[in-house]
Amino acid sequence: MKKAVYKTNINCGGCIASVTPFLEKAQSVEKWSVDTESKNKLLTVEGGALNKEEVIGLVESAGFEIKEKKGFLSF
């Protein structure tokens, strides 16, 4: 399974509720979560055929900022 991590401005439960319908539409995302406690408000997405452009487009459509976090190691 592929994994990607993004810096966002999704910073509270209300924001998560706003972005949920958009990420639920993602064909390539099987699992996602947002760490609102992190200073970078990290969105982690996973999927077998993960499409990073789809994720970025959907989060931006929901009205949030998103930028891929470079140098993130997943184990």
Side-chain angles (χ1 to χ4, degrees):
M1 189 173 311
K2 294 180 182 177
K3 181 177 183 179
V5 178
Y6 302 90
K7 293 180 187 180
T8 71
N9 63 342
I10 301 169
N11 60 19
C12 67
C15 295
I16 291 172
S18 295
V19 78
T20 295
F22 290 86
L23 288 173
E24 296 292 319
K25 290 184 205 174
Q27 299 292 322
S28 68
V29 175
E30 296 173 27
K31 185 168 117 176
W32 65 275
S33 64
V34 180
D35 180 359
T36 58
E37 298 299 315
S38 163
K39 73 173 189 161
N40 291 317
K41 311 303 180 202
L42 298 176
L43 166 65
T44 302
V45 294
E46 297 180 45
L50 191 59
N51 180 331
K52 295 178 182 182
E53 290 77 26
E54 177 188 33
V55 173
I56 291 169
L58 289 169
V59 172
E60 288 176 343
S61 293
F64 295 97
E65 296 173 10
I66 181 170
K67 183 176 180 183
E68 189 170 4
K69 184 163 172 55
K70 301 292 184 191
F72 181 83
L73 300 176
S74 63
F75 298 93

